[in-house]
Amino acid sequence: MKTKKKLLIGVTGGIGSGKTEVCKLLSKRGFKVLHSDKIAKNLYRTDKKLVKDIIKVFGKDIVNYKGKINLPKLREKIFSSRKYYTAINKIVHPVVISDIKKFVKDNNYDIVIIESALIFESGLSKSMDYIITVFSNKKERIDRLKIRDEASTKSINELMKFQVDEKKKMEQSDFVIINNKSLKDLKIQTDFLSKILKAL
């Protein structure tokens, strides 16, 4: 994936950290942004082999009457056990990474930002030139998710336990954005970082 003319920059962070907001701000500043979760959702609809592989592991009850994957049902199964969580990652990550590689190869952007919650777990980090982690403390993340997803504290904690420790992510990153204050503060940090990225 790496070439002299293109920089690949990963943006990661725990659920509710604000990584998507950072990517929105970077997009407004002219950067091309890819969202790995959106790529995966598209592949669930279009990649027949991927769907077949998922059904083999998770069963036919995750498919609706049209033969399409029912995402809420799949999500429920994924987070019901560590076994299923590991299995879906092994199936989906290589296909998503392949799709990203194809996009980078076929397009002429100097810098491509790739948002991925599982950038380290998927192995995608190995293909990045730089990695940005968006960090927010647990209380802030839970409060945001309660509002955004109308989720309970218990269900949020269940999701969080599957993700890599935030400190480990920060240690392995080139840049860290701390998102514990206001949106204005996040914009200031992202503006500063965007200037650094353009200078690179």
Side-chain angles (χ1 to χ4, degrees):
M1 286 173 75
K2 292 182 182 180
T3 67
K4 290 181 180 178
K5 293 182 180 179
K6 298 178 181 180
L7 276 182
L8 303 182
I9 298 166
V11 176
T12 193
I15 184 171
S17 62
K19 60 186 176 296
T20 302
E21 190 62 42
V22 167
C23 286
K24 281 181 187 174
L25 293 168
L26 289 172
S27 179
K28 285 178 181 177
R29 281 147 187 77
F31 293 96
K32 178 61 185 177
V33 178
L34 301 180
H35 302 274
S36 61
D37 59 339
K38 288 183 181 178
I39 292 169
K41 284 175 184 176
N42 182 58
L43 290 168
Y44 289 150
R45 293 193 302 270
T46 60
D47 191 320
K48 290 180 181 178
K49 184 182 181 304
L50 176 63
V51 172
K52 196 174 178 181
D53 290 342
I54 292 171
I55 292 170
K56 274 183 190 177
V57 175
F58 293 90
K60 291 183 179 179
D61 60 325
I62 62 157
V63 179
N64 64 23
Y65 72 96
K66 291 182 179 179
K68 302 291 183 183
I69 288 178
N70 183 314
L71 292 178
K73 276 190 179 179
L74 177 61
R75 182 182 174 86
E76 188 180 328
K77 275 208 171 185
I78 289 169
F79 290 104
S80 68
S81 73
R82 177 71 63 177
K83 175 190 168 186
Y84 279 142
Y85 182 79
T86 303
I88 193 69
N89 290 339
K90 282 183 179 179
I91 296 167
V92 176
H93 286 160
V95 186
V96 171
I97 291 170
S98 178
D99 198 77
I100 290 170
K101 284 181 179 181
K102 186 177 184 306
F103 178 90
V104 172
K105 184 181 177 183
D106 294 347
N107 291 274
N108 295 318
Y109 296 102
D110 293 330
I111 298 175
V112 179
I113 308 283
I114 298 150
E115 180 196 357
S116 174
L118 305 176
I119 204 161
F120 296 109
E121 297 93 323
S122 66
L124 185 58
S125 57
K126 295 172 185 174
S127 298
M128 298 296 102
D129 294 291
Y130 299 96
I131 295 174
I132 301 162
T133 285
V134 183
F135 173 81
S136 185
N137 65 49
K138 192 172 181 180
K139 183 183 180 302
E140 289 286 339
R141 292 163 63 200
I142 289 173
D143 288 346
R144 287 185 198 124
L145 291 167
K146 279 182 175 179
I147 296 167
R148 190 189 78 185
D149 299 342
E150 296 183 354
S152 67
T153 301
K154 184 182 177 182
S155 64
I156 294 166
N157 281 319
E158 285 294 311
L159 295 178
M160 286 182 172
K161 75 180 183 183
F162 285 97
Q163 297 190 337
V164 169
D165 180 78
E166 296 302 288
K167 289 180 182 177
K168 287 182 181 178
K169 284 182 182 177
M170 290 191 284
E171 287 168 2
Q172 297 176 69
S173 300
D174 301 286
F175 305 98
V176 176
I177 289 178
I178 305 295
N179 183 27
N180 286 328
K181 296 182 181 178
S182 64
L183 181 58
K184 183 181 178 181
D185 181 71
L186 187 65
K187 285 179 179 177
I188 290 168
Q189 291 185 71
T190 306
D191 277 342
F192 179 72
L193 183 58
S194 69
K195 291 173 185 175
I196 294 173
L197 296 181
K198 286 175 181 177
L200 293 172

